[in-house]
Amino acid sequence: MIPLSCSVFRGGSRRAVAIMGGLILATVLTQLFLPALYAAWFRVKKPVEVAKGEA
């Protein structure tokens, strides 16, 4: 995509920048927002640690 953003073709630069922005936004949402949404929706809790002598 980076070579396309520096392109001299008609409309190629704006389209390439829009595609790169969409890919970056989708990656950020997938890596950060969706796991947090899942944890909040299903109320995921951290596992309780058991002391060594009690198990």
Side-chain angles (χ1 to χ4, degrees):
M1 286 293 139
I2 292 174
L4 284 176
S5 66
C6 300
S7 176
V8 293
F9 297 117
R10 184 185 76 197
S13 177
R14 286 180 277 162
R15 188 177 308 135
V17 170
I19 291 171
M20 286 189 298
L23 287 172
I24 290 170
L25 180 64
T27 302
V28 168
L29 286 177
T30 302
Q31 296 296 318
L32 299 176
F33 181 71
L34 288 179
L37 184 66
Y38 178 85
W41 184 268
F42 292 105
R43 292 181 175 88
V44 176
K45 296 182 174 110
K46 291 183 180 179
V48 179
E49 294 184 21
V50 179
K52 290 182 182 179
E54 295 178 12

